[in-house]
Structures are given as C-alpha cells and as structure tokens.
Amino acid sequence: MSSVHLNNIVKRFGAVTAVQKTSLEIQEGAFVTLLGPSGCGKTTNLRMIAGLLDPTEGEILIDGKRVNDVPIHKRNLGLVFQNYALFPHKTVAENVAFGLKYRDVPSSDISRRVTEALELVQLPDVGERYPKELSGGQQQRIALARAIVIEPDVLLLDEPLSALDANLREDMRVELKRIQERIGVTTVFVTHDQSEALAMSDQIVVMSAGRVEQVGAPEEVYNTPASEFVANFLGASNILAAECKSRSAEGVELETPIFGKLVVPAEKAPNLGGAGPAKLVIRAEKLLVAAKDAAAPDGVISVPATIEAVDYQGQAVRYFVRAGEAQLQAINMIDQRPFAAGDEVNLRLRPIDCAALPDQ
Amino acid sequence: MGGTMGWHLLRGWTVLVYLFMFLPVAVVVLLSFNASQFGSFPMTGFSFRWFVELANNDAILRAFQTSFVLGLMTAAISTTLGVLASLALVRYRVPGSNYISTLLIAPILVPEVVLAVALLLFLNFLGINKSFTLLLFGHVIFTLPFVILVVQARLVSIKRDIEEAAMSLGASPRQTFFQITLPLMLPAVLAGALFAFTISFDDITGTLFWKPGGVETVPTQIFAMLRNSISPEINALGTVMILLTVGLPLLGMGIARTLSQKRGG
Ligand SMILES: Nc1ncnc2c1ncn2[C@@H]1O[C@H](COP(=O)(O)OP(=O)(O)O)[C@@H](O)[C@H]1O
Ligand SMILES: [Mg+2]
C-alpha cells in the first residue's frame, strides 16, 4: 500500500500533448478513478505511473520516492488491462505464479499464495486450465488474481470491465470493489463509464483533453460539478444562463428567465464569486414534471411547460420539455402513467438541488 | 444453366492445370521404382535398386552432406537474424523502419539470377573469391525474407499488453523475451527455420553462380548428372528430394500446430 503523487506532469507525443500539467495526490489505500471521454489522457497517465511511458515533464512519486527513473519491472505494481493480457501458453496457475518467481518467495509458498489468490477471485478450480478455456469474465478475474498475488504497492486498472457484457460488468464491478476493500491496496482505475466511476470510487478525477477538470468524492462531482464539462459528462444536466445578483453566507441569489429568482446553497456554488453572469445547473432527475392543476409544496418553484418528446426507459422516463425559450430534460421515475407529448404540465424545482457555476 | 456450364469448364481447366504441374512429378516418383535399365517407360518391375545405387554413389552422398550442412547453417543464421530483425521492426521504433523492411524483403522480389550475378560481381569487385562462406552468405540473403515475413506476422499478433503485463510482474525485458515472447513466437520461428532450410536445400540458380569449384549440392549434382545421361538414379534422387522438400515443411507445420494447440494458441 502506497500513496501516489503526480507533480506537474506533462506528456507530449510529438506535437500532441496528451497530458497537460497534471498534479494529483492519491492517498494510501484509496480507490481513485480517472474518468473522462476517450482520448482525454487517462491511459497515458496510468502508463506513466506504471513506468510504461516517461513523462515529458514533472515527477511521479510513489510512497514519497521519485520513480521517474525506475523501470516498470522494479516498481512492484499490479497492472490489469482491458483485454486481460493473460499469457496464453501458460496455465492459469502458472499465470498467477508468474510474478512470484521474481520475488524471493519459497516454492512451497508459491502454490499456497496462488491458491489463495484464486479463491479470492472465486475461481479456485481452474488452476490447470489454459486462459482460452475460460470466459472473458473469468479471464479478467485471473488477470486480477495475477496482479494482486504479488501484493503490489499500487493496483492499476485500465478499463478492466469494458470488454465484458453489460450484466457481467455490473457483477464484476461489485466483485472488484469487494476485493479491493478486502486487501486495501491503493487503486487507480481508468474508465470512460460514469456509472462505474460513481459506484466504485473513493475519489473521482474527471479529465478532459489532457486536463483535470475536478477531483472529488462521487457525490461531490455529481452534485457540485466544478465545470460545465463535468455537469454534462456525469449524467444529464440542464445548464441555463443566469445572472448572479449577490452572494451571502446563506447562498447565491440567481435570476433566470424561466425560473425567476432562486437561492442556491453556498456550498453548491463554490467557484462563484459574486454578482455577474453565471450558469445554473439542474440535474435532469431533479426536475420534476407534475400535473398542471396540482399545487406545489412550499419552497418548490413551479413553472408551466409543454412536453415535446417522451423517451420511455422502463422504470424511468425522460421528458424533453419546453419552458419559454428553453428546452429542458427531466428524468423522472414513472408514477402510474407517464405524461405524453403535447401535455401541458408544471415543472417543479427545489433551489437546494441546483448548483451554480461562474460563466466560463 | 450457362452458369453451371461455366463452373464445369472452370473446374475442368483447374484439374488440367494441376495435372500439368504434378504429372511430371508423379512420373519421376513412379519411374524411380522401375526395375528397368532405362529411366523411362515401360515399367518392367518394382525395385528399390536405384535407391541402393544412390546410397553407394560417393558424389551424391557428398552432395547430400554439403546440402545438409549448408541448409542447416543457412537456417540457423537466417532464423537468428530474422528474429532479431523482426523484433527491431515490430517492437522498437527504428527510424526508417519502412525502408529497412522493404530492403530486407527485396531479395524475394528481385529475380534470383539478377541477385546471384549482382552478388558475384560485387564480390569480384571487392576481390573476394568464391568460397563456401560466400555460398552460405548468398543463401542467407535470399532465405532471410521468408523468415522475416513469417516471424513478423506472428510477432504482430502477439499483443504488447502481454509483454507489459510480464514486466509489471517483475520480469526484466530480457526475461520477458525468453519467458513470454519467444515461446509465443516459437511456431513461427520453427516454420521460418524450416522454410530457410528447404529453400536452401532446393536452390539451384544462385548456387550455380556462387559455389566454388568442386563443391556440389544435391541440385547442382543432379544438374551435372543430367548433362551426361538420364540415369534412373536421377529419378530416385528426385523422389528423395521431393520427400524432403515437401515432407519437411508438412512435418514442421504439424509440429507447429500441435505446439500451438497444446499451449492454447
Ligand atoms: N503512443 C502515442 N503516440 C501518439 N499519440 C498518442 C500515443 N498514445 C496516446 N496518444 C494520444 O494521446 C491522447 C490521449 O490518449 P489516451 O491516454 O490513450 O486516452 P484515453 O485513455 O483517455 O482514451 C490521445 O489524443 C491519443 O491520440
Ligand atoms: Mg484508454
């Protein structure tokens, strides 16, 4: 178990800058996820930590020690790839034992530790088989066993669930988290899938175009996005132009054409200084579509709107709603029967569910 | 209707082409077992006598020995160089690797006579005499492309991830090569070596230009014998050659296949 620090890391490939001036502190034992769209530099960061790429600038510290010049095979890291990368010519047991051969582990201990690792990933009976005789999900468990049996200082996972089917992916998510908590290894997980990131992480690092957009706990990045990019990337959000009237201890007072004046709690607008142009962020699932004649409870803003389109999703429904100039999205649980396109409705909103951003 | 007719014609034509190519070979094999004094039809009986005479012919035995030594050395050198070149071209960013790759493959594209004469003229220019080493050198040059093509294709299919996983587990780059890359490449390396051996064993054009006086390989020996007379011995020799040059690659392919099946491909 070790901490990982990136200090002002830059990585260029010729003219392309894949990672721009990134600094990151990963605490011992934490499960940290690098989240962002494809091509934003997640893998590049991970490979620099692993020692598979040299940073163009900056330092990487593992447990406070600079490792820029330590080759990968001396770093004691566990690495898991999207495509499992098992050794096809070795049995499962030989795969898992591979890393132990390079550590002074007595041969009697090797087989015990291999057995334990296979039990940990719940595949105790496949030691004699070859990788190609296992399913994708099983192969990924073996890859995980192989990476953790060496008791790595840091576990690095690059989209390990992306090659699996949707159902299996959710099981493996739970499984992976269980194993990580059990052994308590510092883990850096790379994914472009926000639900994976939200479900598994202690900390999420949201990245875009080689830059860190926000670092925070899942609830934090979800509920208080630090930028428009984060608000749009994690779930569906409505982002409305607004005017900030004032900031007080109680909150920031915003005015928008549709919802009028409302006060957003101060902690949900950490970056908004004072009066001036701003953005109001409303998560689609916080916008409630209600019948036109129903009365709204206290403290809830209610404005008339028209449903333009309905996207039925089973237990939930996504409405595209027009209110004045703006088209908004609302994702609501279905209560009895969903509204239909063309219905006149009321849009309800609690100001405490909103967040605010400075304009740019 | 017209379509089926066309297919029948095409099928008939294909059969004819194959007959044209393989009939002479079949005739040679058949005649090598002919008891008759003359290397031609009619067959007068079945006999191994020409194979026995072959085994007692010193010139032929010497040629076989030369061919074997030459083939084995060619295979060893070509395979080693080919594996190293493929590694460099596939795994490392060598500047101008495209050109190097073309250059290494070029000997396949140049007619063998041209290559043979060019090498000879070049060595004359340098004042180097024909020798066994020169012959070996020539064989290495034109077997190398085959090794590189086979090994490179295999190496491309071995994911870099696998080697990176090995290194992350503590294997140095050298250990990774011997533990992971080489075993995975092995079928291709063996196939390359077999190719090199058979091509060298089979070659006549280049060999005629490069061999020093008094040295004969099996093909040049056959060539020399044909100039005097068509002895039934030659049919027997031909049969042995066919057996070796067809059988060896088949054997190699079989071994490679079982190897890769056992190791899970
Ligand atoms: N070896 C490389 N050579 C050139 N450009 C690269 C290389 N690796 C990555 N890049 C570029 O760097 C950027 C970030 O890539 P990557 O870290 O793989 O993104 P992600 O893992 O987030 O999808 C991309 O624009 C990609 O094209
Ligand atoms: Mg990636």
Side-chain angles (χ1 to χ4, degrees):
Chain A
M1 251 195 285
S2 301
S3 62
V4 178
H5 286 210
L6 305 188
N7 278 343
N8 294 317
I9 291 290
V10 175
K11 179 64 186 177
R12 289 191 205 95
F13 296 104
V16 180
T17 306
V19 171
Q20 328 205 16
K21 273 265 185 264
T22 295
S23 294
L24 207 57
E25 288 192 16
I26 296 168
Q27 305 299 329
E28 222 174 288
F31 191 116
V32 173
T33 299
L34 307 185
L35 173 68
S38 169
C40 72
K42 308 179 295 288
T43 298
T44 305
N45 269 329
L46 197 79
R47 291 174 68 83
M48 286 192 287
I49 300 174
L52 288 165
L53 284 175
D54 291 326
T56 313
E57 288 171 24
E59 292 188 312
I60 297 174
L61 309 174
I62 295 179
D63 246 355
K65 283 189 282 290
R66 187 187 144 99
V67 296
N68 287 47
D69 305 314
V70 179
I72 174 171
H73 62 281
K74 303 231 170 87
R75 286 197 191 182
N76 195 38
L77 305 171
L79 206 49
V80 176
F81 298 88
Q82 180 173 343
N83 293 310
Y84 329 130
L86 295 176
F87 309 131
H89 59 305
K90 292 181 184 289
T91 62
V92 166
E94 286 166 348
N95 264 278
V96 178
F98 189 86
L100 296 175
K101 287 191 301 185
Y102 300 99
R103 292 167 170 74
D104 298 318
V105 181
S107 56
S108 56
D109 284 6
I110 288 186
S111 67
R112 180 181 53 79
R113 282 173 67 173
V114 168
T115 309
E116 281 171 9
L118 289 178
E119 275 165 8
L120 189 63
V121 298
Q122 301 189 339
L123 285 173
D125 304 320
V126 300
E128 298 310 308
R129 294 206 219 156
Y130 282 92
K132 74 164 180 188
E133 296 165 346
L134 303 179
S135 72
Q138 289 174 322
Q139 290 189 42
Q140 196 57 296
R141 283 164 195 250
I142 300 304
L144 185 63
R146 181 179 70 177
I148 58 184
V149 75
I150 60 170
E151 293 172 359
D153 293 333
V154 184
L155 183 60
L156 304 171
L157 307 133
D158 194 351
E159 312 236 5
L161 310 180
S162 300
L164 309 177
D165 318 333
N167 283 337
L168 192 57
R169 193 150 59 209
E170 301 207 345
D171 294 346
M172 277 293 286
R173 204 197 253 177
V174 177
E175 181 79 10
L176 183 59
K177 184 65 189 160
R178 175 185 70 82
I179 292 168
Q180 191 269 339
E181 275 172 353
R182 171 102 174 266
I183 59 178
V185 63
T186 310
T187 301
V188 184
F189 181 88
V190 161
T191 185
H192 62 268
D193 180 332
Q194 44 142 336
S195 56
E196 265 172 27
L198 291 170
M200 298 170 78
S201 321
D202 298 324
Q203 293 261 297
I204 296 179
V205 179
V206 186
M207 293 182 60
S208 148
R211 236 184 275 277
V212 173
E213 290 276 335
Q214 186 173 7
V215 181
E219 309 79 33
E220 212 173 317
V221 291
Y222 191 80
N223 291 322
T224 318
S227 66
E228 233 173 284
F229 175 85
V230 178
N232 278 320
F233 191 74
L234 284 131
S237 290
N238 298 290
I239 298 173
L240 303 175
E243 180 71 26
C244 179
K245 295 293 185 194
S246 64
R247 182 175 184 111
S248 65
E250 181 199 355
V252 286
E253 190 182 32
L254 296 182
E255 179 165 10
T256 68
I258 305 169
F259 295 104
K261 280 193 180 161
L262 50 89
V263 177
V264 175
E267 73 272 13
K268 305 208 58 189
N271 300 324
L272 192 55
K279 291 273 163 73
L280 178 68
V281 180
I282 309 164
R283 300 231 73 106
E285 63 279 5
K286 299 293 186 191
L287 200 57
L288 190 71
V289 177
K292 194 150 191 70
D293 44 14
D298 277 354
V300 174
I301 299 171
S302 180
V303 297
T306 312
I307 304 229
E308 292 199 322
V310 180
D311 177 13
Y312 180 72
Q313 297 175 342
Q315 55 186 175
V317 63
R318 182 202 296 253
Y319 297 112
F320 295 89
V321 184
R322 178 153 301 275
E325 298 286 281
Q327 195 192 43
L328 304 174
Q329 309 181 40
I331 298 175
N332 290 175
M333 296 310 282
I334 294 176
D335 179 28
Q336 297 184 352
R337 218 163 49 81
F339 295 97
D343 287 0
E344 298 285 325
V345 294
N346 273 340
L347 277 183
R348 288 186 191 166
L349 177 68
R350 292 195 303 176
I352 55 165
D353 290 330
C354 299
L357 294 171
D359 191 21
Q360 295 316 326
Chain B
M1 280 304 282
T4 356
M5 183 73 178
W7 277 115
H8 281 308
L9 277 176
L10 191 61
R11 192 173 300 163
W13 181 247
T14 312
V15 170
L16 280 180
V17 168
Y18 274 95
L19 274 182
F20 180 74
M21 290 199 309
F22 287 111
L23 212 54
V25 176
V27 168
V28 166
V29 174
L30 197 64
L31 287 180
S32 66
F33 297 103
N34 191 355
S36 145
Q37 197 49 260
F38 310 99
S40 59
F41 287 109
M43 299 277 293
T44 55
F46 182 86
S47 145
F48 283 109
R49 89 181 248 218
W50 302 117
F51 289 92
V52 175
E53 291 210 4
L54 208 59
N56 292 324
N57 184 329
D58 278 345
I60 288 176
L61 289 182
R62 237 180 298 123
F64 257 109
Q65 197 185 355
T66 309
S67 278
F68 264 113
V69 172
L70 182 62
L72 288 178
M73 290 178 75
T74 303
I77 297 172
S78 264
T79 309
T80 312
L81 292 180
V83 168
L84 293 177
S86 306
L87 278 175
L89 290 172
V90 177
R91 284 291 188 257
Y92 300 93
R93 289 219 195 139
V94 186
S97 63
N98 269 342
Y99 297 103
I100 298 175
S101 185
T102 315
L103 205 66
L104 287 173
I105 306 298
I108 295 189
L109 308 172
V110 179
E112 205 180 325
V113 185
V114 176
L115 188 73
V117 174
L119 184 60
L120 202 58
L121 289 178
F122 181 60
L123 288 158
N124 263 345
F125 174 75
L126 292 179
I128 297 172
N129 287 328
K130 286 197 205 179
S131 65
F132 184 79
T133 317
L134 167 63
L135 183 57
L136 178 62
F137 186 61
H139 277 210
V140 167
I141 287 181
F142 74 78
T143 52
L144 192 56
F146 293 95
V147 178
I148 291 179
L149 285 178
V150 176
V151 174
Q152 221 174 23
R154 176 72 186 171
L155 199 55
V156 168
S157 77
I158 300 174
K159 292 232 174 58
R160 189 82 180 110
D161 285 4
I162 295 182
E163 293 165 338
E164 290 173 350
M167 288 193 279
S168 78
L169 292 165
S172 67
R174 225 181 117 255
Q175 288 163 331
T176 302
F177 177 75
F178 285 107
Q179 285 283 317
I180 306 298
T181 320
L182 189 57
L184 289 176
M185 283 202 303
L186 201 60
V189 173
L190 289 180
L194 264 173
F195 257 140
F197 178 84
T198 353
I199 292 167
S200 157
F201 197 83
D202 210 28
D203 179 71
I204 182 150
T205 318
T207 311
L208 279 177
F209 281 90
W210 297 327
K211 74 184 179 67
V215 173
E216 301 288 352
T217 65
V218 179
T220 64
Q221 179 66 30
I222 297 178
F223 190 63
M225 284 161 70
L226 281 174
R227 265 188 296 200
N228 303 331
S229 66
I230 298 191
S231 142
E233 244 179 317
I234 289 175
N235 290 332
L237 194 51
T239 304
V240 174
M241 285 293 282
I242 290 167
L243 216 63
L244 279 175
T245 52
V246 175
L248 269 185
L250 284 182
L251 184 75
M253 258 157 57
I255 293 174
R257 185 164 303 169
T258 37
L259 264 185
S260 68
Q261 261 167 9
K262 204 177 76 203
R263 285 148 176 262

